[in-house]
Amino acid sequence: MVKVVTTEQMREIERATDAAGVSYDQMMQHAGRAVAEVVKLLLGNNPPERRVAVLVGPGNNGGDGLVAARILKEDTGAEVGCYLAKQRGEGDPVFEATRAAGVFIAVAEDDQRWRVLKNLVSNADVLIDALLGTGARLPIEGDLKKIMEVAAGALIRGPLDREIVAWPAAPVRATHSRPMVVAVDCPSGLDCDTGMLDPVALRADMTVTFAAAKFGQLAFPGADAVGELIVADIGTPIGLPALAEVQVELATGRGVGGLLPKRPRDAHKGTFGRAVILAGSVNYTGAAALAGAAAYRVGAGLVTLAVPQIIHPILAAQLPEATWLLLPHDMGVINEVALEVFLNEVGELDALLIGPGLGREEQTARFMRGLIRGPGRTTRGSLGFVPAGGRATDGSLSYQLPASLVIDADGLNLLCDIEQWWELLPPNTVLTPHPGEMARLTGLDRETIQADRIGVAREKATQWNCVVVLKGAFTVVAAPDQRVIVIPFATDALATAGTGDVLGGCIVGLMAQGADPFSAAVAGAYIHGLAGKVAGEETTSRSVVAGDVLRAIPLAMPILESPG
């Protein structure tokens, strides 16, 4: 996993790295080398025929850009030009080394009508943005603002000369192109703490950031300007306390691969657990099928769907691998009579998912209250889900909720009507709200939640003693012990009905195999996000439906399971 830090935390990491024996100059050399290596890949074959322009700011970020320019010139022979926002001192060794390497140097104060800047940018194959780093504060003003405006205008050249209003007989090639933009540490104009973006910000295709990701790179609108995010080493010692103690992380494929339950060759279906999914109603039949299929696709050995009896014929053909627990209903929704049937018939299980497509009718709400509260129970300590086999003194069934419990969708909406509901759930119950459901659970408005997704998720996970999966772009997974992992996917392919049911199925399927709740939530959310990305790339994100995400899970899993 990759750490996610504030700008102040990053300054402390740099100070600690310097104190540990890696100087600021050495860090700059590492940073510039990392940027240069990324640009080399973009230059492709015959780099001497390619052109690189570097926008150089007055601070350390500009120094990183100068180092990258020198290395690119020395290593590839590409035509490299640096445009300095401000003249750097003649005694600056980084500047002198870059000039000595034969890099073309231009300075803004000598550039009449910005002709040199326009030329450098418009003729470049790659533009390196090293104007402003993580410490920049908005708004951008003065000469820097003008340089960014001119550079942004020069990025587009040769606009389309006609508008396509019908599909042509043969494809029409666009007659414009632009340089690939690589940002050094962050796009200039991005506030790396808040994600706010200056109107003149330079939008990058790739951002090479150093040592750790930054909060603002994972928050909108700024995240839209980051492009592909690459986290590069700058020599920070392994185990450096200032970095190791950071509790917010960004999930990586390698890290998530290590969370997946093992698959022994001599396994049988019981090895990989039984997931029970309590879901569905006459108006939402597909939710149960999507969740059940997802649980199977991530490796669960057996999936049982507990659904209203009336929708079973619709579902059975969609998911022939499932087993079924058919429940009493009123007009197609689970009623309170179903509680005793469920408890009597469900049998042994390894993980339980409650909620996809249940609906919010009063009879279902009474079922949910009975399931969560239990007979005469009002405290957390009396719950957990091993059927206790006996009856309470009032004649009702005595039972415990399962330790491996996921509540999603309408299950969350029904929780809101239960007083102090978080005291009734097993520790580390996984809750998977989208921002609207989180607003109902917390009483906060959506805007407040979206403005501080990490902070709100972490606070509520601790208060509720639950694992909170706050869905959306860059899904946040927070544990009661303050650990937070951000899932690095933001795609509109997942902004369609039913994808949340797929996520719930992924998580319960992993828990059934023995993954602990936090690991299952992180891995499930990553698989879900990666599958959405894969589905969107197969055709177009606009056309993706939840079934496409489900079908992409088998394409996503090998990426995580491959060695290295």
Side-chain angles (χ1 to χ4, degrees):
M1 306 295 180
V2 170
K3 301 291 185 177
V4 183
V5 300
T6 65
T7 54
E8 181 52 43
Q9 285 174 318
M10 190 62 220
R11 291 188 192 99
E12 178 54 37
I13 290 165
E14 290 173 343
R15 286 192 290 266
T17 300
D18 179 62
V22 182
S23 69
Y24 282 95
D25 180 66
Q26 289 172 310
M27 284 185 266
M28 183 176 291
Q29 296 298 322
H30 286 305
R33 169 67 68 180
V35 173
E37 293 301 325
V38 169
V39 174
K40 285 180 189 178
L41 295 175
L42 298 178
L43 294 180
N45 298 326
N46 299 317
E49 298 179 6
R50 310 303 290 274
R51 297 175 177 178
V52 180
V54 187
L55 303 181
V56 178
N60 290 336
N61 192 255
D64 299 338
L66 287 170
V67 172
R70 173 183 59 78
I71 292 171
L72 285 167
K73 184 66 176 178
E74 292 175 342
D75 289 3
T76 71
E79 188 175 331
V80 183
C82 288
Y83 191 90
L84 277 58
K86 183 179 180 181
Q87 181 65 267
R88 298 178 80 95
E90 293 294 323
D92 181 342
V94 174
F95 171 70
E96 293 294 346
T98 304
R99 184 163 60 178
V103 174
F104 172 79
I105 304 289
V107 183
E109 63 189 46
D110 299 329
D111 186 14
Q112 295 184 359
R113 300 183 184 177
W114 310 102
R115 290 176 178 173
V116 176
L117 175 59
K118 292 175 184 176
N119 243 353
L120 277 174
V121 174
S122 63
N123 288 300
D125 296 294
V126 178
L127 173 65
I128 298 175
D129 168 18
L131 282 173
L132 295 170
T134 57
R137 291 293 174 261
L138 310 187
I140 308 301
E141 297 176 333
D143 288 344
L144 280 171
K145 178 180 179 180
K146 186 61 179 177
I147 290 170
M148 291 164 69
E149 287 176 334
V150 173
L155 280 172
I156 303 297
R157 55 182 194 244
L160 285 170
D161 58 4
R162 58 174 162 168
E163 181 180 2
I164 299 174
V165 295
W167 190 256
V172 175
R173 290 185 177 274
T175 57
H176 76 286
S177 61
R178 67 169 181 81
M180 289 286 289
V181 180
V182 177
V184 177
D185 216 2
C186 70
S188 294
L190 170 66
D191 186 313
C192 280
D193 283 330
T194 68
M196 296 305 295
L197 200 63
D198 194 275
V200 299
L202 293 176
R203 295 176 179 268
D205 297 290
M206 307 177 77
T207 296
V208 183
T209 198
F210 308 122
K214 316 305 184 291
F215 279 86
Q217 295 166 343
L218 306 174
F220 286 90
D224 257 341
V226 172
E228 181 182 348
L229 182 64
I230 299 168
V231 181
D233 177 39
I234 53 170
T236 302
I238 295 174
L240 186 77
L243 186 59
E245 292 168 4
V246 172
Q247 290 187 302
V248 180
E249 296 180 297
L250 184 66
T252 64
R254 180 177 298 178
V256 170
L259 299 178
L260 297 177
K262 303 303 180 186
R263 305 280 297 183
R265 292 175 61 194
D266 61 346
H268 53 83
K269 68 181 179 184
T271 306
F272 303 126
R274 180 185 181 221
V276 173
I277 298 174
L278 180 60
S281 61
V282 71
N283 290 325
Y284 306 105
T285 57
L290 288 166
Y296 268 129
R297 287 298 191 183
V298 298
L302 179 64
V303 178
T304 298
L305 295 185
V307 300
Q309 183 275 333
I310 195 171
I311 68 172
H312 171 256
I314 302 171
L315 294 173
Q318 297 182 49
L319 196 58
E321 301 87 354
T323 61
W324 303 90
L325 173 53
L326 305 184
L327 301 176
H329 63 93
D330 288 335
M331 301 294 290
V333 299
I334 292 173
N335 60 26
E336 57 188 318
V337 177
L339 180 58
E340 185 162 347
V341 175
F342 177 76
L343 296 174
N344 273 321
E345 302 296 333
V346 68
E348 294 184 4
L349 56 83
D350 296 289
L352 173 65
L353 167 61
I354 302 173
L358 277 181
R360 301 171 66 180
E361 284 76 6
E362 177 54 32
Q363 53 267 50
T364 307
R366 290 195 293 268
F367 171 94
M368 187 71 172
R369 287 194 293 270
L371 181 64
I372 298 300
R373 285 176 176 168
R377 294 169 176 159
T378 57
T379 61
R380 184 193 295 272
S382 59
L383 300 173
F385 197 96
V386 178
R391 292 184 176 268
T393 54
D394 63 358
S396 59
L397 278 170
S398 177
Y399 66 92
Q400 293 180 315
L401 285 167
S404 296
L405 176 62
V406 185
I407 304 180
D408 179 41
D410 283 329
L412 297 171
N413 292 322
L414 294 171
L415 271 188
C416 297
D417 297 327
I418 302 173
E419 186 176 354
Q420 301 292 104
W421 53 265
W422 54 91
E423 295 183 0
L424 305 173
L425 300 177
N428 293 300
T429 293
V430 178
L431 310 177
T432 61
H434 58 54
E437 291 160 347
M438 192 67 168
R440 288 188 283 276
L441 289 168
T442 62
L444 302 172
D445 59 70
R446 289 171 59 106
E447 290 72 21
T448 299
I449 292 168
Q450 290 295 80
D452 186 18
R453 288 170 53 81
I454 291 173
V456 170
R458 178 159 49 184
E459 176 189 345
K460 294 306 177 182
T462 302
Q463 177 190 342
W464 298 334
N465 200 20
C466 292
V467 175
V468 173
V469 181
L470 181 54
K471 296 185 290 194
F474 302 117
T475 289
V476 177
V477 184
D481 62 5
Q482 299 280 297
R483 287 178 296 161
V484 175
I485 292 185
V486 180
I487 308 302
F489 300 109
T491 171
D492 62 306
L494 294 173
T496 186
T499 56
D501 305 317
V502 175
L503 172 59
C506 288
I507 295 172
V508 77
L510 292 168
M511 290 174 72
Q513 297 170 71
D516 67 85
F518 185 66
S519 296
V522 171
Y526 193 98
I527 292 165
H528 174 255
L530 181 57
K533 183 173 183 287
V534 169
E537 290 174 349
E538 281 193 324
T539 52
T540 169
S541 60
R542 188 185 301 275
S543 300
V544 170
V545 295
D548 299 326
V549 178
L550 176 65
R551 287 184 287 275
I553 291 175
L555 302 177
M557 295 295 289
I559 298 172
L560 303 180
E561 295 173 328
S562 60

